[in-house]
Amino acid sequence: MTTLLSLRDPFAGPLTLPDPRPSLAGAGRAELQERLIAIGVPQAKARMRADQIWRWTYHYGVADFSAMSNIAKGLRADLDRAYTLKRPEVAARQISVDGTRKWLIRLEGGQEVESVFIPDVGRSGTLCVSSQVGCTLTCSFCHTGTQRLVRNLTAAEIVAQVLIARDELGEWPTPERPINEGDRRLTNIVFMGMGEPLYNLDEAAAAIDVISDGDGLAIGRRRITVSTAGVAPRIPELGERTGAMLAISLHATNDPLRDVLVPINKKYPLETLFEAIRAYPGLSNAKRVTFEYVMLKGVNDSLAEAKALVKLLSGTPAKINLIPFNPWPGSSYACSDWDTVEAFAAVLNRAGYASPIRTPRGRDILAACGQLKSESVKERASARYRKAHDAADA
Ligand code: SAH
């Protein structure tokens, strides 16, 4: 380091080398203890110290060891020499007219994912997190489905999306200014961003352990929903490992159509899928499965299909979410007419399903389902195109 500095041109700008210190933001309890032992904290003390750091990191949201006032100064300095509490960089932020916020997050290695915060009518609100960069599935109506899988997110990168949202919403308490649970806006988490969480279950489950921990972020497991396109063999396992709420991207009531819309259906057809759903631990009227159903004009929106949906779900404690299709450039579908959506919803209402239509949010900032990140990829491509042209013109 010193040699490098002394070799520098004294008139050059500041040297910005990547920080070699690993970040502990997003780490689980076991990792925290290991990291402490690695810098010389005695084994017998590691757990207690990890608990202290945990509280500062996940309850108070501090991003600087020097703020951890109940930890000895010497240890704070040791921590600072070895580690950081840096979050991944927020590469872009957007706020919709309806209050929806979207953050483009640049991960280590330069890949990007998005998280979206959707405020509810009252104080509460939901953060939609991504679990993969890109996706291996190829659902025909989903924009992410047109991108290949780049990589799985680590648990820490999933947790960091929650830390960033709390940073940006300014919702961390301080020892002097506690925040009551009821005053927070970020109250719920849904794994409905980019990626298929059940193809990254180890990291998703580890992230849920951190997010739901009562000494830290304290977003209870019943307020965390994991959405899957239908990776049947991992559905009961998800429940056993996480205790999270389950959502299923259903979108069709028969196999031939679901094979087209959600091609993983060819591997795990409806019968196999529903067998797995019924094996989800703890299902009851108080713990229902959410079924997502995207409204595609002339494809899956007939009254006969509404009735078929009621029939298919009978016997499963269920909520239904009708999602108006969000078109994207090049998509071969259109959203059902509003009258059709309402007529479809009326059939579900009569069968006892309350308010099944999901209001589209954040459309002006492309924060809607299936549109995450794709736009930035496109922009970058068009910027590259412009640059190539400018170069050719010059
Ligand atoms: N892979 C998981 C989670 C990500 S998708 C899953 O399939 O559930 C989150 C939800 O958005 C899914 O229900 C998905 O089907 C839906 N979705 C994707 N693209 C959409 C679009 N263009 N319009 C409306 N909903 C869409």
Side-chain angles (χ1 to χ4, degrees):
M1 191 73 170
T2 18
T3 38
L4 227 168
L5 280 175
S6 62
L7 284 174
R8 287 183 68 223
D9 174 356
F11 299 107
L15 181 67
T16 48
L17 286 176
D19 196 327
R21 297 171 299 169
S23 172
L24 302 185
R29 284 183 183 274
E31 184 190 341
L32 265 188
Q33 288 183 39
E34 281 163 27
R35 297 283 196 179
L36 286 167
I37 291 165
I39 60 164
V41 171
Q43 191 116 28
K45 288 266 170 72
R47 187 169 173 172
M48 185 264 289
R49 293 289 177 223
D51 286 350
Q52 289 175 319
I53 295 170
W54 185 273
R55 186 128 182 107
W56 285 112
T57 308
Y58 296 125
H59 177 77
Y60 293 117
V62 308
D64 193 341
F65 296 110
S66 64
M68 301 184 175
S69 52
N70 60 350
I71 295 176
K73 281 216 169 96
L75 178 54
R76 282 190 251 165
D78 289 347
L79 283 163
D80 191 54
R81 260 190 297 278
Y83 308 118
T84 73
L85 286 166
K86 275 199 192 122
R87 291 82 160 107
E89 181 195 348
V90 178
R93 31 173 84 72
Q94 281 179 289
I95 303 184
S96 156
V97 287
D98 65 22
T100 300
R101 293 168 184 239
K102 183 170 83 166
W103 299 289
L104 179 66
I105 296 171
R106 186 165 301 142
L107 306 171
E108 212 161 290
Q111 303 95 352
E112 289 167 346
V113 288
E114 285 187 354
S115 338
V116 177
F117 174 72
I118 307 143
D120 286 346
V121 205
R123 270 302 282 177
S124 59
T126 302
L127 182 71
C128 177
V129 296
S130 295
S131 57
Q132 297 181 313
V133 183
C135 193
T136 52
L137 304 177
T138 50
C139 303
S140 55
F141 58 90
C142 177
H143 205 179
T144 310
T146 63
Q147 302 166 33
R148 62 192 171 81
L149 177 76
V150 179
R151 72 168 170 90
N152 282 334
L153 262 61
T154 63
E157 287 168 335
I158 298 171
V159 174
Q161 295 173 61
V162 185
L163 300 180
I164 287 172
R166 280 246 166 111
D167 291 347
E168 298 268 324
L169 293 168
E171 297 209 302
W172 295 111
T174 62
E176 300 77 40
R177 187 180 59 90
I179 290 186
N180 296 324
E181 270 321 306
D183 291 335
R184 277 211 175 108
R185 283 176 293 167
L186 200 181
T187 52
N188 294 67
I189 306 281
V190 293
F191 283 70
M192 292 185 190
M194 294 173 70
E196 170 50 52
L198 295 202
Y199 280 146
N200 189 16
L201 184 51
D202 288 348
E203 300 299 315
I208 290 171
D209 285 345
V210 176
I211 295 166
S212 63
D213 189 296
D215 277 333
L217 290 160
I219 298 171
R221 293 172 189 273
R222 288 287 190 98
R223 291 179 177 276
I224 301 175
T225 301
V226 177
S227 177
T228 176
V231 187
R234 297 201 188 148
I235 287 175
E237 189 189 341
L238 168 75
E240 279 144 26
R241 290 176 66 178
T242 69
M245 304 294 282
L246 174 66
I248 301 285
S249 294
L250 190 65
H251 308 318
T253 55
N254 61 75
D255 283 321
L257 179 59
R258 199 163 188 272
D259 283 350
V260 175
L261 299 179
V262 188
I264 196 183
N265 193 69
K266 289 186 235 161
K267 202 164 174 190
Y268 307 116
L270 287 169
E271 205 182 315
T272 314
L273 177 62
F274 273 82
E275 221 170 276
I277 294 169
R278 282 191 288 271
Y280 200 73
L283 285 191
S284 68
N285 278 343
K287 190 174 178 187
R288 296 169 193 245
V289 181
T290 300
F291 287 90
E292 297 158 279
Y293 195 95
V294 64
M295 297 299 291
L296 303 169
K297 189 177 190 162
V299 173
N300 65 354
D301 60 355
S302 70
L303 292 185
E305 277 157 312
K307 287 176 194 151
L309 181 56
V310 171
K311 199 162 162 219
L312 186 63
L313 300 190
S314 79
T316 308
K319 284 186 277 194
I320 301 172
N321 240 317
L322 296 182
I323 315 174
F325 171 66
N326 286 300
W328 37 274
S331 61
S332 46
Y333 299 97
C335 183
S336 309
D337 300 327
W338 201 247
D339 289 353
T340 311
V341 177
E342 286 195 329
F344 197 100
V347 173
L348 307 179
N349 258 315
R350 277 199 296 279
Y353 295 97
S355 54
I357 305 174
R358 189 193 287 174
T359 329
R361 308 295 300 271
R363 278 199 162 173
D364 53 331
I365 58 168
L366 285 180
C369 305
Q371 297 186 322
L372 302 187
K373 165 106 187 326
S374 314
E375 192 62 14
S376 78
V377 171
K378 220 174 68 206
E379 255 171 33
R380 204 104 7 90
S382 65
R384 269 202 306 274
Y385 176 83
R386 269 200 308 274
K387 241 190 243 157
H389 267 247
D390 291 348
D393 290 347

